[in-house]
Amino acid sequence: MKAPRHAYPYEAPPGSAAVAGVLPLACAVITHDEADNIGRCLASVAGLVCEIVVVDSGSTDATCEIAREYGARVIHRDWAGFAAQKQFAMDQCSQPWLLSLDADEALEPAARAAIETVFAGGGEPTHAGYEINRLTWYLGDWVRHTWYPEWRLRLVRRDRAAWREYNGHDLLTVHGETGRLSGHLLHYTYRDLEHHMQQSIGYARMSGRQLAESDRRIPVSKLVFSPLGRFIRLYLLKQGWRDGWRGLLLAFSSVMSAFLKYAFALEARQARNRAKNSPGDDS
């Protein structure tokens, strides 16, 4: 299955009553300069959810205008970190159930149908949350091995769910049993290789600094064994080689990210220790 980067079958016309769903379900999305993605994301939930909340941290492109065309309530909030921003977006929703999407994600029709099945009959869903398998579009093709399967908790009972930071990433958690849905969460990731490398370095720096601020030991051996473990897991165990040159590129970018995470952590820990041990200015 190949598709151009912006293709999606649910394109509702601008200005239409896109939020007309009958399910007790809200969709929350955080954005910053996502004009290339937000229309596809919100089109995939049009007519499924009855509330869309977009929390924007200061976009300078047409993100907010496009979101409003799909019936979203757009709220400005200065950037507070991924988990905090997503938690705020969830708290602004009024429906008992939440579908949390990233702006560069979209529901595949089969996943959309699976969500409808969860609520079929009007009864309460049997689980507190549901995972959807994410399929990534990367540099012109779908990645079916290196980053796949990738189950993500996205549909949750709102009063049982919370966002938290974990290992430098945002993590949606839910109190109660979870199930899995059929279909895919389509992930239209990095624009190009440069964007990928920039994002990888940024995440590695953030993860490294968080590690440095914790009480965990940071052995130098992690600079070797963590990247090696990443390569073995992605390229060999998950058969990333079957994704061709994309799989090799993704495996080595993960190696780089793992190395940089611990390099940044060691650098930040050294700087913190130096500041702690340096004598104060008595003048």
Side-chain angles (χ1 to χ4, degrees):
M1 177 174 61
K2 290 194 176 185
R5 189 175 139 72
H6 301 291
Y8 199 77
Y10 283 117
E11 284 297 339
S16 68
V19 182
V22 295
L23 301 181
L25 177 61
C27 178
V29 187
I30 66 170
T31 58
H32 181 80
D33 289 342
E34 292 284 358
D36 288 345
N37 291 314
I38 191 64
R40 177 184 55 231
C41 174
L42 299 186
S44 76
V45 301
L48 178 71
V49 303
C50 61
E51 179 183 25
I52 297 175
V53 172
V54 170
V55 174
D56 186 80
S57 56
S59 292
T60 58
D61 61 9
T63 296
C64 296
E65 290 80 0
I66 295 171
R68 292 189 182 99
E69 289 175 352
Y70 284 92
R73 178 161 58 100
V74 179
I75 303 168
H76 173 81
R77 187 186 194 230
D78 291 341
W79 182 247
F82 286 104
Q85 204 79 347
K86 290 184 178 183
Q87 182 65 46
F88 177 83
M90 181 168 69
D91 292 341
Q92 307 315 301
C93 298
S94 63
Q95 298 302 309
W97 282 84
L98 174 79
L99 177 65
S100 182
L101 297 180
D102 291 339
D104 61 358
E105 295 175 340
L107 288 178
E108 186 183 50
R112 180 185 168 105
I115 292 174
E116 292 174 333
T117 301
V118 166
F119 292 93
E124 182 69 11
T126 57
H127 296 87
Y130 294 86
E131 296 178 337
I132 309 175
N133 197 3
R134 191 161 73 168
L135 179 64
T136 296
W137 178 259
Y138 182 72
L139 301 184
D141 205 351
W142 299 107
V143 177
R144 296 189 177 276
H145 301 280
T146 319
W147 282 350
Y148 186 86
E150 187 183 22
W151 291 96
R152 296 284 178 162
L153 184 64
R154 286 290 189 263
L155 178 64
V156 293
R157 176 85 190 186
R158 196 165 58 87
D159 59 1
R160 298 186 185 180
W163 283 97
R164 64 185 181 91
E165 293 283 351
Y166 176 75
N167 200 24
H169 296 277
D170 50 278
L171 181 68
L172 181 59
T173 60
V174 67
H175 180 69
E177 293 185 357
T178 60
R180 287 182 168 180
L181 301 177
S182 58
H184 290 110
L185 180 64
L186 303 178
H187 185 205
Y188 295 85
T189 186
Y190 311 108
R191 294 187 302 270
D192 50 35
L193 185 58
E194 181 179 0
H195 183 217
H196 182 186
M197 295 300 106
Q198 290 173 345
Q199 292 290 95
S200 295
I201 293 171
Y203 282 128
R205 179 182 292 109
M206 180 174 62
S207 299
R209 289 177 176 173
Q210 288 180 348
L211 178 58
E213 292 168 2
S214 71
D215 295 327
R216 293 170 53 189
R217 288 183 61 252
I218 310 176
V220 177
S221 60
K222 284 286 190 179
L223 289 170
V224 176
F225 293 111
S226 182
L228 180 61
R230 288 273 189 98
F231 183 83
I232 291 173
R233 181 173 64 87
L234 294 178
Y235 199 69
L236 300 179
L237 299 182
K238 297 199 72 172
Q239 301 183 46
W241 53 270
R242 297 180 65 181
D243 288 318
W245 61 268
R246 293 176 183 84
L248 187 62
L249 197 158
L250 290 172
F252 271 106
S253 69
S254 187
V255 166
M256 179 193 73
S257 296
F259 176 84
L260 288 177
K261 171 186 173 179
Y262 288 100
F264 282 129
L266 288 167
E267 178 189 50
R269 178 70 61 84
Q270 182 188 46
R272 189 182 72 169
N273 291 340
R274 187 164 52 242
K276 185 187 302 183
N277 296 327
S278 62
D281 188 355
D282 297 329
S283 61

